[in-house]
Amino acid sequence: MKNNWKRWLIFPALLPFFSWMEAKTLEENLIQQSLDTIEYRVFVAVDKAGVEHWGGKEAYQAKLNAFFDQVNDFWNKAGNGRFNYYFRYIPDLQVIYDCSSRQLEKIYQKSAGFPNHDVLLIIDSILDFDDEESAKGWYCGGGADNLNMVICRSRSKTEHEDLFGIDYFHRGVAHEFGHYRGVTDLYADRIRAKNNPVNHIEYEPDSCVMNSHYKTYKWSSYAVHIINHTAKSKRPRRDFDGFFKQMFPENIQVSVKVKGKKQKGVKLNLYGSRAKFNDLIATPYRTYETDKKGEYLITGVPNLYDSPAPPLHTDELPYNRWFTFLLEAEYKGEKKYVWLPEYEVQQAFFENKDTYQVTIDF
């Protein structure tokens, strides 16, 4: 009996914790109830080998339903209360295929016969056809009739990859559905220090599911803005044609001061970065100079980032876009730097501004 007093001390200490947990669950339920729900119907095609491996169609359907509950729960909670709607993806297992998933993907890229679905999902648990290995992994691409198609293909020839058993798979599918909703890969804006010949500084994009779904549990403000903006569209590629380029403001206003005073004649160099290479091109893409007001207005910003005009000073520009610019201001040998990643500059779109402001102080 003499040790029971410890239990009574622990019990009251636990009560506030459980009360907090109950309050948090209640709050999440209230948020869901207070928001309109928007649903997206997902056409699902699964490889026959995978269905048989996990016990047949009914057993696989149960795994699929539980998995999508996980995707939906994560998607909404990762918004941290910033979404204007509650989003729900509804899986509809339509096809169990016994052919190459790569072949099926090519068919769906040309087929427009999905009037009752909003996005396609192909799941392939094993690389049992020769052409599949060259396209293994997870990605989102375009199909016919403005559909988006998400592919989740195994990385193994010998073992069925239990995608539903991977801790981060639901976040990976959320990432790919993020592309469906119109959000770009933020990790493409990353610049490694060793690949930056200008100032040798690394640039790491905002934390976001669209940056790294392996260890990230939230949407960035940029992603939230886009998901809210395109929410009511079941096919954003149709309803927001050219949306990505339209998000850029027309101008970037650069203002430079030296010891608090506007400075004329400050040289401005704009260095472009490439996706995939995560590098910065050493030769400036454009060079400017501040006027007597200490300012320079960079115009035509959409065409500066997307489908930029030569000279590019590089033989290869993935996706025909500069993903990040590094702006260098030089005054009497001293240099200052400002990062201009596309997703940051595009925030002006959601503030209803046609000019992105940059201020540099020496």
Side-chain angles (χ1 to χ4, degrees), residues 216-251:
T216 308
Y217 295 80
K218 71 173 185 178
W219 298 104
S220 64
S221 61
Y222 173 75
V224 168
H225 280 314
I226 293 177
I227 292 170
N228 280 332
H229 188 78
T230 63
K232 293 184 179 181
S233 169
K234 299 303 177 76
R235 300 193 183 185
R237 293 178 67 227
R238 173 194 61 201
D239 300 333
F240 294 90
D241 184 41
F243 174 59
F244 182 80
K245 192 166 186 174
Q246 292 169 11
M247 279 194 294
F248 285 107
E250 278 302 312
N251 314 301

Side-chain angles (χ1 to χ4, degrees), residues 10-241:
I10 294 171
F11 182 69
L14 289 174
L15 283 176
F17 172 76
F18 286 118
S19 298
W20 175 80
M21 288 295 291
E22 290 172 1
K24 185 172 177 60
T25 301
L26 179 62
E27 181 184 2
E28 289 170 352
N29 290 337
L30 288 173
I31 290 173
Q32 179 178 346
Q33 292 170 11
S34 66
L35 297 176
D36 291 336
T37 297
I38 293 182
E39 297 180 341
Y40 307 116
R41 290 182 58 81
V42 184
F43 181 105
V44 183
V46 181
D47 63 317
K48 182 180 179 182
V51 172
E52 292 177 346
H53 179 78
W54 279 291
K57 183 177 180 180
E58 289 187 10
Y60 195 93
Q61 181 72 66
K63 285 172 69 75
L64 191 66
N65 291 341
F67 173 72
F68 266 79
D69 286 343
Q70 193 179 20
V71 171
N72 291 326
D73 184 63
F74 170 75
W75 178 285
N76 290 283
K77 287 181 179 177
N80 292 330
R82 296 168 294 164
F83 284 142
N84 297 333
Y85 307 91
Y86 184 84
F87 298 94
R88 180 179 291 125
Y89 291 89
I90 301 175
D92 185 8
L93 180 52
Q94 284 281 315
V95 171
I96 299 175
Y97 61 90
D98 189 17
C99 63
S100 160
S101 59
R102 189 77 177 109
Q103 180 183 0
L104 188 69
E105 178 185 354
K106 291 178 180 178
I107 292 172
Y108 287 168
Q109 283 174 343
K110 299 178 181 179
S111 174
F114 304 96
N116 300 318
H117 296 88
D118 307 315
V119 61
L120 306 180
L121 172 63
I122 297 176
I123 301 175
D124 191 357
S125 68
I126 191 168
L127 301 176
D128 47 359
F129 289 86
D130 292 339
D131 64 338
E132 293 172 342
E133 187 173 12
S134 62
K136 61 186 177 182
W138 314 342
Y139 52 93
C140 179
D145 200 22
N146 295 295
L147 273 171
N148 278 90
M149 179 165 45
V150 173
I151 315 297
C152 297
R153 189 174 284 116
S154 170
R155 295 171 172 82
S156 174
K157 286 184 175 182
T158 57
E159 297 181 7
H160 291 273
E161 186 173 11
D162 182 10
L163 297 173
F164 302 139
I166 299 174
D167 169 63
Y168 53 80
F169 183 50
H170 66 284
R171 300 196 297 276
V173 169
H175 174 107
E176 301 307 337
F177 284 160
H179 288 310
Y180 158 54
R181 302 312 310 153
V183 192
T184 189
D185 281 318
L186 266 66
Y187 64 76
D189 291 274
R190 182 180 296 118
I191 299 172
R192 305 188 191 284
K194 66 179 182 179
N195 297 334
N196 177 355
V198 180
N199 64 358
H200 310 286
I201 295 176
E202 177 180 271
Y203 178 74
E204 178 58 36
D206 282 357
S207 177
C208 182
V209 178
M210 303 308 292
N211 184 353
S212 172
H213 62 266
Y214 296 102
K215 55 184 179 181
T216 308
Y217 295 80
K218 71 173 185 178
W219 298 104
S220 64
S221 61
Y222 173 75
V224 168
H225 280 314
I226 293 177
I227 292 170
N228 280 332
H229 188 78
T230 63
K232 293 184 179 181
S233 169
K234 299 303 177 76
R235 300 193 183 185
R237 293 178 67 227
R238 173 194 61 201
D239 300 333
F240 294 90
D241 184 41

